[in-house]
Amino acid sequence: MKIVMVGPYPEPGKQVSGGVERVIDTLLPELGRQVDLTLIVPGAQRDAETVNHGVRTIYLKRGPGPGAARYWTFDARRVARAVESIRPDLVHLQGLAGLGRLISLPRILTVHGIAHRDLLLTSRGDRWGPLARHGMAHVMRTVEARARRQIGNVIVINPYVHEAFPDIVNGHHFAIPNPLDAAFMEPLRNETQPREPHIISIGHISPHKNTLGILRIVAAAMQANTSARMSIYGSSANAEYSQACRDFIRQERLDDRIAFAGNVASNELARALDQSCCLIMASPQENAPMTIAEAHARGVAVVAPEAFGIKYMIAPGRNGFFLPARDLHAQAAVLQRALDHDWRRAAIAHDAWQTYAPGLIAEKTIAAYRAVLTGDAPIATPQGLAPRHKRDLERSAHGPV
């Protein structure tokens, strides 16, 4: 089976950053051992070709203009030409459906985020002004919805995908969670021993991850818990916002208790989680955050909003607590409760290992590939999931652009 995967991946010399890159980095060696796999990375700084985990990797230089307009026009055309030159059996799109809208071969899509909402929550497009930014978000929403319907085959990493994208209801669905890097699957050490009240935050320092909101919650909790400490892992996506976070820490006189650790490799992040009592998230928009799965795999409880795909990942009292909305004192109280709770860390980790094991996820992914190519892919019907005739699949895959 010859497969092309399309998605974000670090350019040579750079480190994996963000959940989607980590997913692809985990899948490459697992899938590459079983299929003829090529990775195409659009939106790169320059055209290049290399090998990652034994997989041929083709970088395509980004086109002119803002990314929100470029990815489904210039970049999509370059991706389609690159795919045509390889002539695979199937193309697996990781993230943006619009990147594959001009490909005429069978395709399958893994939805990782909600692109039009992310555009409004991040600093991307700030220079356009609010009206242009909302207009571009509307265009992205339309492009993505149309491309999802055209592709017809969707890997659902979390039940929230159905809520966020009702347009996929008549397509082929495969319930396959994201895989965990093997670094997070190592046996736990001293999992029964009490841990210091160390809080960890993982993700880009940005409004999208609400780093400043997290800091306000942690600062409120630290007023009552003088032994609590915090580490923030992730790169800075916005220098002005990052400075505002540092200014807040300084104003609260917490410089010696809250540290920025930067973007680190998976094995170092796993070690950091092993020293942490709980992870906190407070994002205004998520799908199924890899950070939560990674924390659970290291036996670390998570405090996060009861929203998005998060509500399907946390079982209160078993592997975390839900963060109340808006009430800072209530949020700080829940965080303190997580620090005080006697977590069964081995059970938390075992559940995560059973769910996100990379070998298992690769097997399910390859089974999905075969189902798409043979016409046995399941679709939603009033009676549940049922196979769809191959002719209908081909009609979906080769429909008009």
Side-chain angles (χ1 to χ4, degrees):
M1 197 185 319
K2 194 173 185 180
I3 305 295
V4 164
M5 183 176 289
V6 179
Y9 197 75
E11 295 181 58
K14 295 187 178 180
Q15 193 162 262
V16 170
S17 176
V20 184
E21 288 188 5
R22 205 180 305 278
V23 167
I24 293 175
D25 191 58
T26 302
L27 282 175
L28 287 184
E30 296 289 340
L31 295 177
R33 285 192 287 267
Q34 302 179 65
V35 300
D36 182 355
L37 181 64
T38 300
L39 174 64
I40 295 178
V41 184
Q45 294 284 348
R46 60 186 61 84
D47 288 339
E49 183 170 331
T50 186
V51 175
N52 292 292
H53 299 294
V55 174
R56 180 190 181 196
T57 305
I58 301 170
Y59 295 91
L60 301 180
K61 183 179 178 180
R62 66 169 62 102
R70 180 191 69 229
Y71 85 91
W72 57 274
T73 52
F74 183 94
D75 289 351
R77 286 193 291 272
R78 292 211 66 194
V79 167
R81 287 197 292 268
V83 167
E84 181 63 27
S85 70
I86 298 169
R87 300 207 60 79
D89 299 307
L90 180 140
V91 178
H92 184 173
L93 296 150
Q94 293 274 6
L96 292 168
L99 274 169
R101 71 184 189 89
L102 302 178
I103 297 170
S104 60
L105 297 169
R107 292 156 291 175
I108 190 168
L109 168 71
T110 299
V111 179
H112 290 287
I114 305 178
H116 66 279
R117 294 183 189 172
D118 290 346
L119 178 64
L120 297 175
L121 290 169
T122 65
S123 59
R124 289 183 299 148
D126 276 349
R127 64 185 182 277
W128 304 339
L131 287 178
R133 198 175 185 189
H134 278 80
M136 185 56 70
H138 176 74
V139 171
M140 290 183 71
R141 181 178 182 177
T142 302
V143 167
E144 287 297 296
R146 183 178 181 186
R148 283 192 299 270
R149 290 193 296 269
Q150 181 193 16
I151 292 167
N153 308 300
V154 178
I155 290 178
V156 177
I157 62 175
N158 184 292
Y160 175 64
V161 172
H162 291 286
E163 301 172 22
F165 304 108
D167 54 81
I168 69 171
V169 66
N170 293 319
H172 304 72
H173 305 155
F174 304 86
I176 307 174
N178 283 328
L180 275 176
D181 188 305
F184 299 97
M185 308 287 287
E186 294 292 326
L188 300 185
R189 298 181 181 87
N190 305 319
E191 71 272 11
T192 60
Q193 294 182 3
R195 295 190 183 181
E196 296 296 321
H198 186 211
I199 305 159
I200 188 170
S201 170
I202 302 171
H204 294 302
I205 301 167
S206 66
H208 185 202
K209 295 300 181 182
N210 193 22
T211 313
L212 194 53
I214 289 173
L215 287 172
R216 290 192 177 102
I217 297 168
V218 171
M222 284 183 171
Q223 289 179 2
N225 188 334
T226 58
S227 61
R229 298 289 185 273
M230 181 187 191
S231 296
I232 301 173
Y233 285 82
S235 57
S236 175
N238 181 315
E240 184 178 347
Y241 186 85
S242 179
Q243 188 58 50
C245 292
R246 294 177 186 276
D247 290 343
F248 175 82
I249 293 171
R250 191 176 305 109
Q251 291 164 10
E252 296 293 316
R253 299 182 179 179
L254 296 173
D255 308 68
D256 59 337
R257 300 174 64 187
I258 300 178
F260 290 89
N263 188 45
V264 300
S266 295
N267 56 355
E268 188 174 342
L269 192 58
R271 287 195 297 269
L273 284 165
D274 287 347
Q275 302 299 318
S276 301
C277 187
C278 71
L279 175 134
I280 182 170
M281 293 188 73
S283 309
Q285 174 59 51
E286 289 285 357
N287 186 357
M290 284 302 299
T291 297
I292 293 180
E294 291 163 356
H296 284 164
R298 302 314 302 158
V300 177
V302 178
V303 174
E306 188 179 6
F308 324 119
I310 296 171
K311 61 180 177 281
Y312 299 106
M313 302 176 77
I314 293 178
R318 178 173 176 83
N319 60 12
F321 291 125
F322 288 125
L323 199 63
R326 290 180 290 278
D327 187 331
L328 181 60
H329 295 295
Q331 292 171 333
V334 169
L335 179 57
Q336 183 58 51
R337 185 181 172 199
L339 293 173
D340 293 337
H341 193 79
D342 183 17
W343 299 104
R344 297 179 59 208
R345 300 192 184 280
I348 295 174
H350 181 265
D351 289 347
W353 298 343
Q354 293 293 309
T355 304
Y356 307 111
L360 174 64
I361 302 307
E363 289 177 11
K364 290 183 176 181
T365 302
I366 291 173
Y369 295 164
R370 291 197 179 101
V372 170
L373 293 173
T374 61
D376 294 328
I379 63 171
T381 71
Q383 291 74 37
L385 294 178
R388 189 177 186 179
H389 195 276
K390 185 176 181 180
R391 183 173 62 250
D392 295 328
L393 172 64
E394 291 171 346
R395 188 178 296 124
S396 172
H398 297 279
V401 174

